[in-house]
Amino acid sequence: MKRLLLATALAALMLVPVSSASAALTGEYAKFKTCPLSNPSVEACLYAESTTGQFTVGKKTVPLVNPQILKGGLFGREGIFGPVTFVGPTDGQVLSKAAQPVPGGLLGITAPTWWPQVLKDLFNETINNGFTGVTATVELAGTASNVKVSVINAATASGTAFSLPVKVKLSNPFLGSSCYIGSTSNPVKLNLTTGTTSPPAPNKPISGFPGEGSEDPEGRFIALKKNRLVDNSFSAPSASGCGGILFSWAVDPLVDSILGTPSPAGTNTAILEGTTYLGVAERLRPLQ
């Protein structure tokens, strides 16, 4: 019943009279500043902020401690023809690059036994000198056109709500600036749902939640608070580019051994919890 009420609330928002009071894209409307409102086709503005959750790839689980934001514009009609069309925001940051600390960092990495002793000593000394702190940053792999959104699925906890290809950047001084799990050509494909997953073993079904809907008094947006997006059916490829061009041949396998990558579907999990805001474009345009 709550799912039906939420879907009805989304439709009913268009019927709420707009206040004649002056306003601007500031305060509670500031989140829609980069919505592509200049595109006349855009009917809605999306701002999905995840503040808690976790991302598990293979043997490593990284908690979400820094907010992750997905934003842009939407147009098109829901139904049998598939999800709406997603349009990237004006600042180009479809998915915010929020670095998350990796618990344990590189602890456990040691030089292979077959390396020359002098190289092993140098490697192990580098690790022991404090280069164990690692951050993981989920980045969009591709362009805004690769993002698929279904507002109806999100509201009714059925099917995929958000589909997007991502890659995970692993960063610390030792790993260099190009260490990734996934790439634009071989991404981690997330299909997030507010419903219940059906993953391959050994993972078991987990459930999301559409959120609790509340309307802006001015009738310009709806907030879906305490929503939960989940996916534990995706696979993750091997590490690449770790240690830079000269040493990735040696460092990539070490990173894989710690993370447990490549990791097949059924061994990875993404859980994102927060608030999704949906703004009515025609009611936000006058505030620009």
Side-chain angles (χ1 to χ4, degrees):
M1 179 63 70
K2 286 184 178 179
R3 295 173 185 173
L4 293 176
L5 290 175
L6 182 54
T8 301
L10 289 171
L13 181 62
M14 293 298 297
L15 303 178
V16 177
V18 181
S19 170
S20 59
S22 61
L25 288 178
T26 57
E28 61 183 344
Y29 303 120
K31 61 181 67 70
F32 300 118
K33 268 190 173 181
T34 59
C35 180
L37 293 168
S38 61
N39 183 335
S41 297
V42 170
E43 298 171 301
C45 297
L46 171 70
Y47 187 94
E49 181 178 26
S50 299
T51 53
T52 60
Q54 65 183 51
F55 199 85
T56 299
V57 171
K59 297 183 289 186
K60 275 287 185 182
T61 296
V62 179
L64 184 69
V65 297
N66 297 310
Q68 185 89 56
I69 297 167
L70 174 69
K71 61 183 181 178
L74 307 172
F75 72 87
R77 304 191 67 175
E78 293 276 359
I80 61 172
F81 300 106
V84 295
T85 298
F86 181 86
V87 182
T90 57
D91 64 357
Q93 290 294 315
V94 175
L95 187 65
S96 63
K97 297 180 180 180
Q100 313 294 338
V102 178
L106 290 176
L107 292 178
I109 288 183
T110 57
T113 57
W114 53 268
W115 279 18
Q117 188 60 46
V118 64
L119 187 57
K120 287 195 294 183
D121 290 344
L122 178 61
F123 179 92
N124 293 329
E125 180 181 357
T126 299
I127 293 298
N128 291 329
N129 278 342
F131 291 145
T132 54
V134 180
T135 60
T137 305
V138 178
E139 301 178 1
L140 182 66
T143 65
S145 63
N146 298 119
V147 178
K148 308 300 179 186
V149 178
S150 175
V151 176
I152 295 301
N153 284 356
T156 59
S158 61
T160 300
F162 298 99
S163 177
L164 62 160
V166 301
K167 53 187 178 181
V168 182
K169 183 178 183 180
L170 301 174
S171 303
N172 88 335
F174 176 74
L175 295 176
S177 60
S178 59
C179 181
Y180 280 91
I181 303 299
S183 63
T184 300
S185 59
N186 185 27
V188 175
K189 299 177 182 178
L190 296 180
N191 291 295
L192 298 160
T193 181
T194 56
T196 300
T197 64
S198 298
N203 279 355
K204 297 181 179 180
I206 56 176
S207 297
F209 179 60
E212 300 173 354
S214 62
E215 297 176 7
D216 165 40
E218 302 295 329
R220 291 188 169 95
F221 70 85
I222 187 171
L224 306 176
K225 300 178 180 180
K226 298 180 181 180
N227 64 0
R228 189 171 193 257
L229 294 157
V230 297
D231 182 11
N232 61 348
S233 301
F234 61 92
S235 61
S238 301
S240 62
C242 304
I245 297 176
L246 294 179
F247 299 106
S248 63
W249 61 273
V251 179
D252 287 348
L254 297 177
V255 174
D256 283 334
S257 69
I258 295 298
L259 298 181
T261 48
S263 49
T267 60
N268 312 296
T269 301
I271 300 174
L272 301 173
E273 300 170 322
T275 302
T276 296
Y277 300 88
L278 291 169
V280 180
E282 67 178 35
R283 298 182 176 186
L284 293 172
R285 287 190 176 97
L287 306 184
Q288 290 181 290

